[in-house]
Amino acid sequence: MDENALKHLVKLTQEGQLCSLENQLTLAGEAAAQTVRQKHFGRSGDTLLHYAARHGHLEVVKFLIKEVGMGVEVYNNDYKRPLHEAASMGHEACVSCLIREGAKVDCLKKADWTPLMMACTRRNLGVVEELLRHGADPALKNKDGWNSFHIACREGDPAVVRHLLLAAPDVWRTESKILRTPLHTAALHGCEDVVRILLERCGFAPDGPDSCGVTAFMDAVRNGHIAVARLLLEKHQASPTAADILGAQPVHQAAVTGQQEALRFLVRELGVDVNQTATDIQLTALHYAAKEGHTATINTLLELGADLHVRDKKGRTALHMACIGQHAEAAGTLLQLGLEDTEDASGSTAQQLAKKPDVLRVFQSGLPET
């Protein structure tokens, strides 16, 4: 069977044209069937069974297994089995069929992902239930230390999260290799309903840190998820001033990511000191915002009472930081606001730290080039 004929079989499989696929293989004879059983296509190394499972063509899946004789444990270049494909795309009937035909429910693809993990990336409770009914283990971890519950919390489907807790009540007691918990994950992605479930049903310690000292509250704030942050304050006694291993507090992290509403929430509603310093070199939120080039955030911080003239331990102002980050607009804004270009503790001016032509031109005009 030549390559064009084989490519045509792929097309028929992807489109679910069972009759045409059956006719083509019948006409080609047993030699063609033998080829199809062994053939891997393209860079991914998928087989026809992979394609059929991925597209949810149940009758084609059955035909390839029962009539053509393809093995259900055939894998591609990423060690994905057809069961991974069906689970990841939410095709419950194909998942059931493959398991009935002998597919291993906890088979591993590259990076140690199971079909259940793949299913949890989709909001499809039926597939998750089917895999669990056949013995899938939600506590298995991939190479990053994530289990299926971590993944479900990232995707934010309350029904899937509740079902996993029902099936394995202790599945929440897990940390990734960098000590991230499912609560971190849900907070980071703003999954308010899932965070509420986790706080009601699980026993996460308030302000539990990951390996960088980051708490779930920090994750929520630095990504602008204020509703989640409020929930953690009210139901979990989270601290709005906890610091990571570098000494950065939520107010600094929100400045780094340019989350202006989160900054207003921290300062106006929670009374956080906008001029609080972080790290041994005493950087403020204004320093962080300037280094990242967040001009609008600089203005917000000043509205909230940030000290324009504060210096870090090295004698650097926000203008120095804007030039270190090579941000012309931020540097121009700070100059317009009246911040003078003075020397830091090493004798360097902000202008001397500027490398890009558009940043250097700011010091001549006082305005960024448009």
Side-chain angles (χ1 to χ4, degrees):
M1 204 169 200
D2 63 28
E3 283 299 315
N4 287 334
L6 287 168
K7 287 179 181 178
H8 186 58
L9 294 181
V10 170
K11 184 175 183 293
L12 294 175
T13 302
Q14 291 174 325
E15 294 175 353
Q17 296 189 39
L18 176 60
C19 290
S20 297
L21 180 65
E22 190 171 5
N23 289 337
Q24 290 286 325
L25 286 173
T26 300
L27 289 172
E30 176 57 29
Q34 178 71 19
T35 299
V36 165
R37 284 193 289 271
Q38 300 173 350
K39 179 66 176 176
H40 294 259
F41 297 88
R43 298 174 109 185
S44 62
D46 288 331
T47 67
L48 292 187
L49 190 55
H50 284 88
Y51 292 124
R54 182 182 305 149
H55 290 276
H57 299 311
L58 176 61
E59 295 307 315
V60 177
V61 168
K62 291 178 180 177
F63 169 72
L64 290 171
I65 295 170
K66 296 182 178 181
E67 304 300 327
V68 179
M70 294 194 70
V72 293
E73 285 299 298
V74 64
Y75 55 84
N76 68 10
N77 293 340
D78 287 332
Y79 299 100
K80 264 188 180 181
R81 274 71 169 178
L83 185 59
H84 285 105
E85 297 286 2
S88 69
M89 300 306 292
H91 300 310
E92 185 177 347
C94 288
V95 166
S96 300
C97 174
L98 289 164
I99 292 174
R100 282 197 307 271
E101 295 299 326
K104 295 178 181 177
V105 74
D106 280 330
C107 53
L108 300 179
K109 79 168 192 73
K110 193 174 182 179
D112 296 337
W113 279 63
T114 67
L116 181 59
M117 293 175 191
M118 304 291 284
C120 287
T121 65
R122 300 276 177 171
R123 289 173 172 261
N124 192 314
L125 180 60
V127 173
V128 170
E129 289 176 325
E130 181 70 1
L131 290 165
L132 289 171
R133 268 196 299 271
H134 288 88
D137 185 354
L140 290 177
K141 292 187 175 185
N142 64 19
K143 72 174 183 63
D144 296 315
W146 283 43
N147 66 15
S148 297
F149 193 67
H150 267 107
I151 296 162
C153 289
R154 181 190 68 188
E155 298 305 318
D157 188 335
V160 172
V161 168
R162 289 192 187 98
H163 194 81
L164 287 169
L165 283 172
L166 184 64
D170 288 331
V171 72
W172 64 270
R173 298 179 186 274
T174 183
E175 295 176 338
S176 72
K177 288 187 176 179
I178 57 171
L179 307 185
R180 304 276 296 169
T181 68
L183 183 60
H184 282 97
T185 303
L188 175 68
H189 292 276
C191 302
E192 184 179 354
D193 290 340
V194 170
V195 169
R196 192 178 300 278
I197 292 169
L198 297 180
L199 296 182
E200 289 173 353
R201 300 193 181 187
C202 308
F204 295 105
D207 295 322
D210 67 10
S211 61
C212 293
V214 173
T215 67
F217 181 85
M218 293 176 190
D219 275 330
V221 167
R222 67 182 180 180
N223 286 280
H225 304 309
I226 297 173
V228 172
R230 283 199 176 98
L231 188 59
L232 289 164
L233 287 169
E234 295 167 6
K235 304 293 185 182
H236 204 49
Q237 295 77 53
S239 170
T241 56
D244 65 17
I245 60 174
L246 296 177
Q249 297 181 12
V251 69
H252 306 114
Q253 294 161 341
V256 169
T257 55
Q259 295 294 342
Q260 297 169 71
E261 289 306 312
L263 288 167
R264 293 187 179 100
F265 165 66
L266 289 166
V267 176
R268 289 179 176 164
E269 293 191 35
L270 303 184
V272 172
D273 180 4
V274 73
N275 291 309
Q276 176 67 44
T277 58
T279 76
D280 291 340
I281 56 174
Q282 300 175 353
L283 296 171
T284 66
L286 188 60
H287 284 95
Y288 283 110
K291 187 176 181 182
E292 297 299 323
H294 298 316
T295 305
T297 305
I298 290 171
N299 288 319
T300 297
L301 287 166
L302 292 174
E303 290 171 12
L304 294 172
D307 185 348
L308 183 65
H309 302 283
V310 69
R311 294 173 179 268
D312 69 7
K313 195 172 183 180
K314 295 183 178 181
R316 299 175 299 188
T317 65
L319 183 59
H320 287 90
M321 303 307 288
C323 290
I324 288 171
Q326 307 303 314
H327 299 297
E329 185 179 0
T333 296
L334 291 164
L335 287 168
Q336 284 183 307
L337 289 167
L339 187 56
E340 296 181 1
D341 185 14
T342 55
E343 294 181 349
D344 64 14
S346 69
S348 298
T349 64
Q351 185 173 358
Q352 289 171 331
L353 297 172
K355 304 298 181 186
K356 291 186 176 180
D358 60 334
V359 184
L360 289 166
R361 281 193 288 271
V362 164
F363 289 91
Q364 299 169 4
S365 64
L367 291 168
E369 189 177 74
T370 58

